[in-house]
Amino acid sequence: MKDPAQEVEEVARSIKSMSIRGAAMIAREASRAIGGFSSSWPGSDRQKFMDALRKVALDLHSTRPTAVSLRNGILLTLRGVETEKDVASMKERIAAQSREFRENAEIAREGIAEIGSKRVPKGSTVLTHCNSMAALNTIERAYHDGRVEMVFSTESRPWRQGHITARWLLDKGIPVTMIVDPAVRHFMRDIDVVVVGADTVTANGAVINKIGTSQIALAAHESRVPFMVCAETFKFSKETLLGSLVEIEDRGPTEVASPMRPSDFQGARILNPVFDATPPEYIDAIVTELGIVSPYMATEVIREMFEMDGPVTLEGKRTQFSWL
Amino acid sequence: MKDPAQEVEEVARSIKSMSIRGAAMIAREASRAIGGFSSSWPGSDRQKFMDALRKVALDLHSTRPTAVSLRNGILLTLRGVETEKDVASMKERIAAQSREFRENAEIAREGIAEIGSKRVPKGSTVLTHCNSMAALNTIERAYHDGRVEMVFSTESRPWRQGHITARWLLDKGIPVTMIVDPAVRHFMRDIDVVVVGADTVTANGAVINKIGTSQIALAAHESRVPFMVCAETFKFSKETLLGSLVEIEDRGPTEVASPMRPSDFQGARILNPVFDATPPEYIDAIVTELGIVSPYMATEVIREMFEMDGPVTLEGKRTQFSWL
Amino acid sequence: MKDPAQEVEEVARSIKSMSIRGAAMIAREASRAIGGFSSSWPGSDRQKFMDALRKVALDLHSTRPTAVSLRNGILLTLRGVETEKDVASMKERIAAQSREFRENAEIAREGIAEIGSKRVPKGSTVLTHCNSMAALNTIERAYHDGRVEMVFSTESRPWRQGHITARWLLDKGIPVTMIVDPAVRHFMRDIDVVVVGADTVTANGAVINKIGTSQIALAAHESRVPFMVCAETFKFSKETLLGSLVEIEDRGPTEVASPMRPSDFQGARILNPVFDATPPEYIDAIVTELGIVSPYMATEVIREMFEMDGPVTLEGKRTQFSWL
Amino acid sequence: MKDPAQEVEEVARSIKSMSIRGAAMIAREASRAIGGFSSSWPGSDRQKFMDALRKVALDLHSTRPTAVSLRNGILLTLRGVETEKDVASMKERIAAQSREFRENAEIAREGIAEIGSKRVPKGSTVLTHCNSMAALNTIERAYHDGRVEMVFSTESRPWRQGHITARWLLDKGIPVTMIVDPAVRHFMRDIDVVVVGADTVTANGAVINKIGTSQIALAAHESRVPFMVCAETFKFSKETLLGSLVEIEDRGPTEVASPMRPSDFQGARILNPVFDATPPEYIDAIVTELGIVSPYMATEVIREMFEMDGPVTLEGKRTQFSWL
Amino acid sequence: MKDPAQEVEEVARSIKSMSIRGAAMIAREASRAIGGFSSSWPGSDRQKFMDALRKVALDLHSTRPTAVSLRNGILLTLRGVETEKDVASMKERIAAQSREFRENAEIAREGIAEIGSKRVPKGSTVLTHCNSMAALNTIERAYHDGRVEMVFSTESRPWRQGHITARWLLDKGIPVTMIVDPAVRHFMRDIDVVVVGADTVTANGAVINKIGTSQIALAAHESRVPFMVCAETFKFSKETLLGSLVEIEDRGPTEVASPMRPSDFQGARILNPVFDATPPEYIDAIVTELGIVSPYMATEVIREMFEMDGPVTLEGKRTQFSWL
Amino acid sequence: MKDPAQEVEEVARSIKSMSIRGAAMIAREASRAIGGFSSSWPGSDRQKFMDALRKVALDLHSTRPTAVSLRNGILLTLRGVETEKDVASMKERIAAQSREFRENAEIAREGIAEIGSKRVPKGSTVLTHCNSMAALNTIERAYHDGRVEMVFSTESRPWRQGHITARWLLDKGIPVTMIVDPAVRHFMRDIDVVVVGADTVTANGAVINKIGTSQIALAAHESRVPFMVCAETFKFSKETLLGSLVEIEDRGPTEVASPMRPSDFQGARILNPVFDATPPEYIDAIVTELGIVSPYMATEVIREMFEMDGPVTLEGKRTQFSWL
């Protein structure tokens, strides 16, 4: 029999090395690893188990400390475990919550596609940015329901995920138009709806997503074009409920200087933020697996996700989030 | 003794023929018909009763498939019936829920008038559009509380419900100014508050109401004039929570061409949408019988109306809404 | 031989009785009448001729005192006459200026159509309001150049000039869609360009036009739809240069109450302003016979129209405008 | 032993004479007074006790009838007391609720400072208005976390509370820049975040605060500067849920005319509103002790504060709020 | 006979010591001083006279180097003098231009009042800021024409010129309401038109005026209230045509700290800008003595003021402005 | 001696092959070529010379038919030649106008840099887009005047001219920050002023410039960051005065697909517009060699450039522009 800790370590390593990646995938695998660790835990000392679980949670979380889906996956798997009386019931709860989280995550994208696709008017020209599967599944479903005539795909510099998006759409037989990022406003009046994904949704309704998203939302708003975000509930950040600002990673100069060498720009400062923040006033709807919400309802989604039925004091919230 | 199904059929026919009409009225009558059908149901086979109820629900719903109040009336009357163990308890639940729905609907308008009228500042000039009783009762109450000096009533082409509104106000002794629809922006700086009704409120806070409403809201917003919507909770659409776009009926060319004959415009396309959508950013408050809400809180109203206390999964929502 | 004054009187009567009507027509006929009066003036006393001319100017102007085109027609015909030394040269100048004004007015609309039609993008859906020939000629020319696919025509309550517009377009074989005024915002995202006429353009760039125009401009601006005004230079009001606000006529209750009788609304105030003011920030371009101008350039158009080459003092302006 | 009623009277007198003041302080003292009154109540007749409590509630409330914190303090202390069966359990409930309210109020400001300070970006120049301790504690904490470089303090005419704010900041060693109120927009582009307090938060998300707040919010919005409001939950007004408009006190001419004598302006009308209303669209986040909320979530905060878990009918709300 | 230079020196000293003050007054007195200097110049050496004139111009200008009216007064008095062939014709030109400038300045304010007052709608509530005589004369004339019902006067901190304005209005028998600066937005919906003066108008249409003006313009724009600026043409800055940004003076801490002592705020930075810049998009009209102009027409006013009839090259502009 | 036509042909070929390029350069070389052609024209038949000139004009123009600077260079060189009586005076005029145009063009950029640099506030962070020498010279001069701390340079996909800009700035020793195009809004609040060039300025004030410019202008406007355009007068398009819409070239798929092969996207539509249109409401100032202008003054710049002093009829304009 395997060492329980060893498997967790392997998952952690894979997340860090990006061999497991994608917001949903890393959350599911972390949840599964905790489940496995718990079920194969040999002892019955409640405190020791708690300590071990906490270490596992922290180890997994430290692989991608800014990934809100990972954090939520861990928290939802361990939620309330501290209220159980003995190891047996703790293990039972973890097993159930791990299974529930993974199942929910798996069906979430499908739910989003089902719900979101209905909001694409018939005969639409859709614009998308970067390469969000939640957004693309929604567009694909809308296409198969006869609602989509053309999809505009931005290049999404510096990574050019728009190229992946264009290929994916072409492979599905969906008509695609490729444009560079600066051309978005020029074409905006030809667009019927913008559909993008999200990395994180904050407590006051801002959407953190691939750099350039907020600029597209601004241009959509200027032309009265609906702007729709597809986001599983585990993208909603409970930390922001308690005030945290979302930190935005800078990915270094290489990607920006490319295809030249950064050394060609000796002496230049090169800034490469991976995300930006779209304010809620430019977002018409967020599509989650629980239904359509206004971005201003983000705190209610967080509450629903963590099953906070009644009023929860600050202390109560701190306890509930105490694992990380 | 009457055949239970016969009464339902009669109600359905009356709704279809418009001899029963008005958002609240058709919902109440449908609820009453389901109650009557249920109480006079002779058998005790649970499955047969379920099947019969489902047929009744669909028959009533099909009379006005886009009327959200009708749908909500049926759903609230039948909500949770599928969880009851036998016909007796099903009948008891239906009877209770039918009574409750109709009572609530009856007192809702009064509650709205009481709540909404307080938001009309003393000495106000009020503008209203079309002919919403929820809005008019609110204005009337505000007038009797000494808050209203003048009511502007738009014509509300093509039906000219504004003429009915003007007459109603005059009959109540309330001073009224009549204007044509294109004159709204011209007079907007003289208006202190706009009060209108709603056909449907969507999950992300848009208000579907008589064609022209969104234009008035836009002009009110441009001049910083508060825009208030009076809407019973049964106007909130749960379908939109699951992504549906509200379909807007086109009432054909006759009304638009009037008072000439459409044949005078042989070859012209005539478009006659009955409603338009006002985005939430132009709405200061929605007055419901449960109190004032921001339009962005629409999903919470839907949740409250359907008594979804805690978190409800997509599957849970589908079940709860499975009758229609 | 006819009495010179008699002809003027007849023209004045025809303008008053509306048998001569339309902004361009009344200006041309007034200019022609002054020309005729002048050429048939028998005497050679400079002062007597000046007095007679001033009376003629005032008589013609009093027939439609708020019509800016009429005022401009008279002023441009008489401009600088006070600087001529004797009756002969005064007559010569009046004859020349009358001819020039009428010729210019005749070719202005054609020039506007030529210039304005180029600004309609290929494949456009155009929206127009009321029944402006400058706007319709522009649309017609754009249609014949293959630029127009569909024209939306509002009803334009209370007079329904939109019905005349729809008929005119149909007779030309141009596809037309008829909508009621409150439906404008609902369809705005389908529109590529709005083209309207003007009654008056003010010194600070506002356009006074048929009631409802400003509401359409607001909705166009909200959706980033270009809004273009077609206006001959004689629609630009020099009075507003000296501060005058444009007075907006109220046409009485009958048209608003129609097709019912006003007596059906005994006790109601009925307001029926014929025009409203569209602010320059909602206007992308004004098309004049001298070319495209920004609405903010209105004072330059006035200066150009009155041939004020260099700087003109207030006193200078007063003199130049001293006829009326 | 003291007469129970006597102590309440003393507290009431102190609140009226302003020797007890500050939104939090008066609420806490009123809650404490009710607790004291209750615990020393000698009788056991339920109805008499209810009547006495109601009188106490009204007496305390009448000292500052527009102070929402006072009202909430009283309501939260007495909430649900009417559902208790006998005097003993009523007293127990009141004692518990009084203690809980006061404890919560005491820790609320600290919670707000902890949460809100995290939303101040590193190196920020902060602008504040008037003299809100919730805002100042937040700024102080952010300063100690190395996030604040400079604080702009407006004068806050007519009372000049900005002078108190400037002194308080200087005493804490925090760098401060003093400006007059009309200079806010001039400096807005140098500001990174605006942090203010609140007197009242309404059901549809407006913040009632010191006169001038809405103007600052407007200027912040124009320059895309985040605008953050620090407000304990007891600042949220349940009355506005039922439609009430917040009345804004006018403090008379003396302060406005100062430092001259009002008699110097004999014949002038002098208006001196103490508060104004900032609409939710200009507010990025409200920081409460329960976390960050969008202003549009105000009704949920009210619901949470009053522990309304499930749906609450209008009647239910009236009952719950029936004490005042 | 007096020494020509001595008189100039005296005028310069008086301007510096503020015993001659007010934008119009200092310009007129400087123009008069140059005229006097020129006419009493004894010699006939052209070059010596040029040198002396240049010194006089610089000396006068240096008394208030940021005052655009002073600079324009000097420039308009000396304009083109360098093109004259001998001292006699130079003296003649200076005498004529000095007289013309002073006469124009004297009649300008009256012209502005005549023109501007017509733009105040009947029954208006007017708001003004600070203490501009051009604005107050306009309001006074509008009042006497029966157009003004009430004038709101802001305090205009830090100098409180609003108190002077209130007194002036009361002395004229015009109803006045006094408010503090932060209350402007609160009352904006009661205002029909804002009328203010200007210190400087820039080439791209911004108005530099008393601190707080831009904030009022912003609030007026938000509520669709017309915002009118009264400015003599000599307030238009030709320097900004060539790129200069208007420098905004800081008047030191004393006024801001008042009525306390700045020493009470030891350690605080106190900023006291005297003016701010209102962007042209918030200005509906500028009233000059030459008529109404859009702020966007500012360069044309400058051209008209300097009588630049045709195209003027950069070099030509430099020459024409070469005196200062 | 060379054949006059041959030299023109060579210049035309060089412009077509892009060995002569840059808006200013091609205009200057075309003007020079016409001058050379004219001066070496052997005959004295006026009509033959006219025909030859017209052919030369058309040949040169056809090399880059959408380049407004080329068209203006040709027109300004030939302007009014048709009014000269004989070949000698025609040649003289052409020689003078060719010299004047080239001299003006040469000094224009310097004039723009001098004027524009003054509008950059001290200590500014400047953002620029693409690679405009007029903009870069302005920034360089502002840097040398101690006004610039940092320059943000966008990548400017698809051509990446931003890389050339970054190198140019580094070579001048000016600090530069490189970002990708989608990151503009993310950094906008750190920017003090945006400075860009222009390809074309239209009669109603829109600026046609490198794709992405309008998006940057929109984001600058959202954050109240001044947006300044540097444009020689020969960038102003007289065609747009007569209604022409500026055609925007599509440069084909290769650049967009790069660095992959377009064949990797078989089946995709790839759109690659080289320019977009920035509306005047997002532009604070246009810097020309004649001074600062509001974009709304574009028609006056065109008039000034073509020395149209007084009013010019449509016919007059047509004549004046009749060469092309």
Side-chain angles (χ1 to χ4, degrees), chain A residues 105-275:
Chain A
E106 266 161 41
I107 60 171
R109 195 176 293 161
E110 188 191 341
I112 289 171
E114 179 193 333
I115 296 169
S117 62
K118 293 190 208 145
R119 290 187 67 83
V120 176
K122 280 210 187 298
S124 285
T125 296
V126 180
L127 182 142
T128 192
H129 183 57
C130 198
N131 185 252
S132 154
M133 286 316 296
L136 287 178
N137 288 161
T138 299
I139 292 168
E140 185 193 13
R141 176 131 184 189
Y143 176 74
H144 287 303
D145 292 353
R147 297 167 175 274
V148 175
E149 283 193 356
M150 174 57 76
V151 181
F152 274 66
S153 167
T154 64
E155 182 179 26
S156 310
R157 279 280 291 153
W159 287 342
R160 300 178 199 284
Q161 289 99 328
H163 286 185
I164 306 173
T165 291
R167 269 265 45 97
W168 191 92
L169 289 164
L170 289 169
D171 291 346
K172 301 280 179 191
I174 302 173
V176 63
T177 296
M178 295 167 69
I179 59 171
V180 292
D181 300 292
V184 167
R185 185 180 179 276
H186 182 69
F187 290 111
M188 188 51 83
R189 295 207 45 242
D190 300 327
I191 304 300
D192 294 297
V193 61
V194 178
V195 181
V196 299
D199 185 79
T200 305
V201 183
T202 74
N204 63 329
V207 165
I208 313 298
N209 194 41
K210 166 63 45 185
I211 189 75
T213 304
S214 76
Q215 206 155 285
I216 296 172
L218 173 63
H221 184 78
E222 186 203 17
S223 289
R224 218 185 112 196
V225 173
F227 186 91
M228 182 162 84
V229 174
C230 296
E232 297 92 343
T233 53
F234 58 69
K235 302 282 183 71
F236 286 67
S237 160
K238 62 161 201 40
E239 277 69 37
T240 58
L241 197 62
L242 300 183
S244 296
L245 286 174
V246 174
E247 253 182 83
I248 290 181
E249 198 186 340
D250 187 293
R251 309 224 3 132
T254 318
E255 297 162 356
V256 175
S258 155
M260 302 192 184
R261 289 162 309 164
S263 63
D264 290 349
F265 302 105
Q266 189 74 40
R269 180 172 67 156
I270 299 184
L271 294 180
N272 186 16
V274 68
F275 298 129

Side-chain angles (χ1 to χ4, degrees), chain D residues 51-68:
Chain D
D51 292 349
L53 284 173
R54 201 171 299 275
K55 188 182 173 310
V56 162
L58 290 172
D59 285 355
L60 286 166
H61 175 244
S62 70
T63 58
R64 296 279 299 273
T66 64
V68 73

Side-chain angles (χ1 to χ4, degrees), chain C residues 96-152:
Chain C
Q97 293 187 160
S98 171
R99 195 173 49 245
E100 189 194 352
F101 176 78
R102 287 174 290 132
E103 281 172 15
N104 283 348
E106 265 161 42
I107 62 170
R109 196 177 291 162
E110 187 191 343
I112 289 172
E114 179 194 332
I115 296 170
S117 63
K118 294 192 209 145
R119 290 188 65 84
V120 177
K122 282 214 184 297
S124 285
T125 296
V126 180
L127 182 142
T128 192
H129 183 58
C130 198
N131 185 253
S132 153
M133 284 318 293
L136 286 178
N137 288 161
T138 299
I139 292 169
E140 184 193 15
R141 175 130 184 191
Y143 176 74
H144 287 303
D145 292 352
R147 298 166 174 275
V148 175
E149 284 193 354
M150 175 57 76
V151 181
F152 274 66

Side-chain angles (χ1 to χ4, degrees), chain C residues 63-199:
Chain C
T63 58
R64 294 281 298 273
T66 65
V68 72
S69 62
L70 176 62
R71 181 186 280 261
N72 280 333
I74 298 169
L75 281 171
L76 288 168
T77 305
L78 291 173
R79 180 181 33 138
V81 167
E82 71 280 5
T83 65
E84 301 292 340
K85 297 221 182 71
D86 54 36
V87 168
S89 53
M90 288 165 80
K91 289 168 93 161
E92 200 175 323
R93 181 169 191 148
I94 290 172
Q97 293 187 160
S98 171
R99 195 173 49 245
E100 189 194 352
F101 176 78
R102 287 174 290 132
E103 281 172 15
N104 283 348
E106 265 161 42
I107 62 170
R109 196 177 291 162
E110 187 191 343
I112 289 172
E114 179 194 332
I115 296 170
S117 63
K118 294 192 209 145
R119 290 188 65 84
V120 177
K122 282 214 184 297
S124 285
T125 296
V126 180
L127 182 142
T128 192
H129 183 58
C130 198
N131 185 253
S132 153
M133 284 318 293
L136 286 178
N137 288 161
T138 299
I139 292 169
E140 184 193 15
R141 175 130 184 191
Y143 176 74
H144 287 303
D145 292 352
R147 298 166 174 275
V148 175
E149 284 193 354
M150 175 57 76
V151 181
F152 274 66
S153 166
T154 64
E155 181 179 28
S156 310
R157 279 283 288 157
W159 286 342
R160 300 177 201 282
Q161 289 97 330
H163 284 186
I164 305 172
T165 290
R167 268 266 43 98
W168 190 92
L169 290 164
L170 288 168
D171 290 348
K172 301 280 178 191
I174 302 173
V176 63
T177 297
M178 296 168 69
I179 58 171
V180 292
D181 300 292
V184 167
R185 186 179 177 275
H186 182 69
F187 289 110
M188 188 51 82
R189 291 206 49 241
D190 299 328
I191 304 300
D192 294 297
V193 59
V194 177
V195 181
V196 300
D199 185 77

